[in-house]
Amino acid sequence: MRTQVVCILGMHRSGTSLITRAVKSLGVYLGEDQDFVDANFDNPEGFWERKDVILLNERILSLLGATWDTTATLPDDWWESEEIALFHEEMQTIIREQFHTRLIWGWKDPRTCLTIPLWISVLSKMEVELKFIIPIRNPVDVASSLEKRNNMKFENAMGMWNLHTLSALYYTSNFQRIIVNYDRFIEEPTLQINRLASFLGIQQSYDFERIANEIVNLDLRHKKTNLQELILLNESGRVQRSLVEIYSLCLELSKKMDWKVSNEIEKSIGELYKDLRHWSKMISPIFVNQKIKMQLFWKQIDEDNFTEEKSQTYSIDADGHFYTYIMRLTPNCNNQLRLDPTNRECWVSIKKLCFVNSTGYHLDLLQNNHLYDGQGIVRVENNGETFDLICTCNDPQLLIQLPSEITNSGGELILEMAVKEEIYEIMNNNIFEKSIRSLETKIMEQTNANDFSILDKFRQLESNILNQITGNNNSLMDKIVQLESKLVEQTVSLELANKAIEKIQSTKLWRLIRKLKL
């Protein structure tokens, strides 16, 4: 008997976890408890997503310049490129080590909607029968859920739904697949579980009604929108016509008891996907390769290091305006967190950063030494109303220290932050003047009062920087000055101070200054 492999595809917040739990209850092996990411208050019944699969998918997307919330298609035939070849063996290793003895196994990760061509390429070389289950939910409800969980804009969520759903349909067109309507699954779970069992060829006698009673919790569905409401949004110009077409098509497919689809429907799916790919090629330099991201890392209490699998990525609007981001923390996490405010060289201003939980506890993290600089961070002197900094690399890090007793029950970080890439346009000349005066004082405190050589060197360095920036744009000077100041504070002699100057001139921030020549 050939091994049967079941992949649960589908957009985030579309009921994929619920339907995966149903599949598990029908005997499909997904892994052991320690293999899955932890449940949290967003999904208290569990995600049923394997850590190794998530990490692998994230790495693939990262290599392609994308993330979990991308809205543009990936490059043509990306899975055949040389740089992706190394992932073939990793996939084979996961399959061989985790599933090779199982007659029916599967996995679920919404990111697979984007990486599925590579999974198909690897699995097609094995003696397996590959089947796909695609949960579908009204994109309006998905957008509402993502806005609540990730503070995501409505338009971005719609773009994600469009890409994930079309990609899942397009790349599985030659395989056995069924569409499962999330709302119908909630309302008639026994019938839908029976439909899943029939599709999978499950022969064992299962009590479908018992499974339905165990896994379906009506309280977990917070919103239900019908097709007509989506149509009205299209007529008002808020959503694209293609979303109405795709969702309508999926609703019809979800009523079928078998998996066979007409050539006409497959042709429609292909045309819709090709249209999306055409437009993506025009916008991808903005929305994929140049997208700015923020990432929050956490650890469990007994863990020492931060890892990608225990992190969440958020899209950032780098237009200089303040936006609020809500980041949820799982219960029993370590009291130390890591926040990477951007993945680029940027100016960042934080107006608010606090921790709150369900008991009403509120902690201002910008006060009382809860926030520490990691790599790639240079603080900027400000007026006290905001916490300003310059990110000097593509992996800047802030460390957050929470009181250990407050992380047991989870909670939320609320961040109000503005980001701008054109950092030389942000800061004003007053900050530069204050910083240079402060720097001169510190230099004189560190050196012999009668020896002005080091002060002269710093002034020469500053003059060289100003020559790289035209007009009154002295914007980066204060960051350079503060970086110099940090190095000078560590010196105990004039000789070491001179070495500090040489070190400053080799820093990435110094090279960044040179890039900004107008």
Side-chain angles (χ1 to χ4, degrees), residues 74-128:
L74 301 180
D76 294 347
D77 302 325
W78 60 267
W79 58 94
E80 296 178 354
S81 64
E82 291 183 6
E83 60 184 355
I84 294 294
L86 62 96
F87 294 110
H88 287 246
E89 186 174 346
E90 288 192 43
M91 282 186 181
Q92 292 171 357
T93 300
I94 291 174
I95 295 167
R96 183 174 58 252
E97 294 181 354
Q98 303 298 327
F99 303 111
H100 76 284
T101 62
R102 308 289 174 171
L103 290 178
I104 179 168
W105 61 270
W107 84 97
K108 168 252 177 177
D109 175 20
R111 299 164 188 80
T112 309
C113 292
L114 309 178
T115 63
I116 191 58
L118 182 58
W119 287 94
I120 290 175
S121 176
V122 170
L123 287 165
S124 296
K125 297 180 176 65
M126 302 180 177
E127 291 295 321
V128 299

Side-chain angles (χ1 to χ4, degrees), residues 30 41 56 62 132 191 232 245 302 390 411 430 473:
L30 303 174
F41 57 86
L56 182 58
S62 178
F132 295 94
L191 176 62
L232 291 174
E245 294 177 14
D302 58 347
I390 192 82
N430 290 334
N473 288 323

Side-chain angles (χ1 to χ4, degrees), residues 367-413:
Q367 305 294 328
N368 301 322
N369 298 321
H370 291 290
L371 196 61
Y372 301 90
D373 298 347
Q375 68 178 29
I377 295 290
V378 177
R379 297 202 189 194
V380 179
E381 185 177 345
N382 55 55
N383 56 13
E385 295 180 0
T386 57
F387 176 86
D388 296 343
L389 53 94
I390 192 82
C391 298
T392 65
C393 67
N394 293 338
D395 189 26
Q397 300 173 8
L398 289 169
L399 300 178
I400 301 171
Q401 192 74 32
L402 298 173
S404 57
E405 67 275 6
I406 70 172
T407 56
N408 294 333
S409 58
E412 295 178 342
L413 289 183

Side-chain angles (χ1 to χ4, degrees), residues 4 6 23 26 28 104 131 133 195-202:
Q4 187 176 168
V6 183
V23 167
L26 292 172
V28 177
I104 179 168
K131 295 183 178 181
I133 299 171
R195 181 169 172 255
L196 285 173
S198 176
F199 172 69
L200 298 175
I202 302 294

Side-chain angles (χ1 to χ4, degrees), residues 211-399:
I211 294 174
N213 291 333
E214 288 178 352
I215 69 173
V216 175
N217 181 353
L218 294 176
D219 294 335
L220 296 180
R221 181 176 64 173
H222 303 295
K223 186 176 177 62
K224 179 186 176 183
T225 304
N226 59 36
L227 175 60
Q228 186 58 37
E229 292 176 80
L230 183 63
I231 293 173
L232 291 174
L233 285 171
N234 166 246
E235 292 175 350
S236 68
R238 289 204 68 196
V239 303
Q240 296 173 296
R241 179 63 192 173
S242 61
L243 271 77
V244 177
E245 294 177 14
I246 299 163
Y247 185 56
S248 300
L249 180 65
C250 288
L251 289 180
E252 289 303 313
L253 293 177
S254 70
K255 298 174 184 177
K256 292 172 59 65
M257 291 303 293
D258 63 4
W259 58 271
K260 295 180 181 178
V261 177
S262 69
N263 291 334
E264 184 179 350
I265 289 178
E266 295 290 12
K267 182 180 178 181
S268 297
I269 292 171
E271 290 175 350
L272 287 166
Y273 183 79
K274 288 173 183 176
D275 285 345
L276 177 61
R277 185 164 57 189
H278 169 74
W279 288 108
S280 292
K281 288 179 179 179
M282 300 177 65
I283 65 174
S284 59
I286 298 173
F287 292 104
V288 178
N289 296 330
Q290 301 301 319
K291 219 167 188 180
I292 297 181
K293 300 292 179 182
M294 171 176 66
Q295 194 167 10
L296 178 69
F297 292 82
W298 63 90
K299 301 179 287 189
Q300 295 306 115
I301 292 176
D302 58 347
E303 294 176 332
D304 296 325
N305 300 317
F306 294 109
T307 60
E308 291 288 333
E309 64 188 35
K310 286 188 173 63
S311 72
Q312 182 65 58
T313 304
Y314 303 82
S315 294
I316 298 296
D317 290 303
D319 56 8
H321 295 108
F322 283 93
Y323 295 96
T324 299
Y325 304 91
I326 300 174
M327 298 167 277
R328 290 176 170 83
L329 303 177
T330 59
N332 300 314
C333 68
N334 192 295
N335 62 323
Q336 188 178 70
L337 309 172
R338 190 183 109 195
L339 179 66
D340 297 0
T342 74
N343 59 348
R344 302 267 277 284
E345 296 165 339
C346 292
W347 169 85
V348 173
S349 181
I350 299 176
K351 185 181 293 186
K352 177 181 181 181
L353 180 61
C354 64
F355 172 86
V356 298
N357 63 21
S358 57
T359 67
Y361 184 89
H362 182 283
L363 178 65
D364 185 351
L365 298 174
L366 296 181
Q367 305 294 328
N368 301 322
N369 298 321
H370 291 290
L371 196 61
Y372 301 90
D373 298 347
Q375 68 178 29
I377 295 290
V378 177
R379 297 202 189 194
V380 179
E381 185 177 345
N382 55 55
N383 56 13
E385 295 180 0
T386 57
F387 176 86
D388 296 343
L389 53 94
I390 192 82
C391 298
T392 65
C393 67
N394 293 338
D395 189 26
Q397 300 173 8
L398 289 169
L399 300 178

Side-chain angles (χ1 to χ4, degrees), residues 8-23 43 46-49 108 110 133-138 141-142 145 161 180-183 185-186 196 215-216 220-221:
I8 297 91
L9 295 173
M11 172 61 185
H12 301 265
R13 316 306 292 171
S14 293
T16 55
S17 298
L18 173 63
I19 291 162
T20 302
R21 190 178 177 195
V23 167
N43 207 337
F47 291 91
W48 307 106
E49 296 175 7
K108 168 252 177 177
I133 299 171
I134 305 178
I136 194 76
R137 188 182 184 189
N138 193 308
D141 298 336
V142 170
S145 182
W161 188 96
V180 182
N181 182 341
Y182 170 68
D183 290 319
F185 193 96
I186 291 287
L196 285 173
I215 69 173
V216 175
L220 296 180
R221 181 176 64 173

